[in-house]
Amino acid sequence: MKNILIIGSTGQIGSELTAELRKQYGSSHVVAGYIPGAEPKGELAEGGPSALADVTNGEQLEAVVRQYSIDTIYNLAALLSVVAEQKPRLAWKIGIDGLWNVLEVARQNGCAVFTPSSIGSFGPNTPHELTPQDTIQRPRTIYGVSKVTTELLSDYYHTKYGVDTRSVRFPGLISYVTPPGGGTTDYAVDIFYSAVRGEKFICPIAKGTRMDMMYMPDALRAAMELMEANPDKLIHRNGFNVTAMSFAPENIFQQIQRRVPGFEMEYQVDTLKQAIAESWPNSLDDSAARQEWGWHPNYGIAAMTRDMLEKLTEKLKK
Ligand code: SER
């Protein structure tokens, strides 16, 4: 990786991945791609080049890739699961028509491409405990349908045209920097804001509903390490199961309450979110990622909770 373009650099993952990539590869080599209305600000804008890079505009992507001699694209443009159910056509336009543009530009300019998949690529008839790497993927959300398609189209461009496509199936991502928007796993971020603000948390997911989660520093490392992995060792490509922890609302609540005595939570289950959550795995088997490119998480639920509370308290003071 010499020159990198991040599509969606101001989003939940992009805002942190851009900074990490700039640390590792040099500020001038990492271009923060954005769309009008979501311009980079502060450190993201000042720390390196940025350019308009709308995933739905193939010509614009081509121009940026040429201008900056891009050889690696992190394609992070997407609508999350709940908001995608409300705007299925737009979710497809961004997720799949957009991916097609990215893959075409990559094919013509010799770029490697990382496009995240998700636990959302699994569905109700997938085995829910220790979900295998290779298993049934018949999701019933448009988000999941677009993620399965992402995996297949990315594999297709690799086998047919030799494009170096790679991806992971991210679990719910937890971070104190940029909030997620419209996901099923968002509650695991929102609960920290309530705790730090001294408010009662209204939980939209029912007691006992386990889902895989990961702290953002691990997620960034996963994306970067996979893109640096030796291709000869990769049996799978799009996408690898990765996980760091699996918990239900009561587990994360207890972890927080230990450190924030008096913190309260009440369940008011959201039917759509709950149906989606129940269709997703309870825990992933990520042994293929561990074997093929040495994946391992650094943060479990306790270490993540400690760090989130500390960093978010600091952030909300400002
Ligand atoms: N965090 C995503 C969502 O909840 C799942 O990948 O939609």
Side-chain angles (χ1 to χ4, degrees), residues 161-202:
Y161 301 118
V163 177
D164 187 358
T165 54
R166 307 180 187 194
S167 74
V168 296
R169 295 176 183 139
F170 276 132
L173 299 181
I174 300 172
S175 148
Y176 58 90
V177 180
T178 305
T184 304
T185 57
D186 292 12
Y187 91 88
V189 176
D190 298 340
I191 192 170
F192 283 97
Y193 280 84
S194 296
V196 172
R197 289 186 173 130
E199 293 162 2
K200 183 196 231 182
F201 180 60
I202 306 297

Side-chain angles (χ1 to χ4, degrees), residues 80-82 118-120 143 170-173 182-186 280:
L80 291 183
S81 55
V82 177
S118 160
I119 49 171
Y143 179 71
F170 276 132
L173 299 181
T184 304
T185 57
D186 292 12
W280 289 356

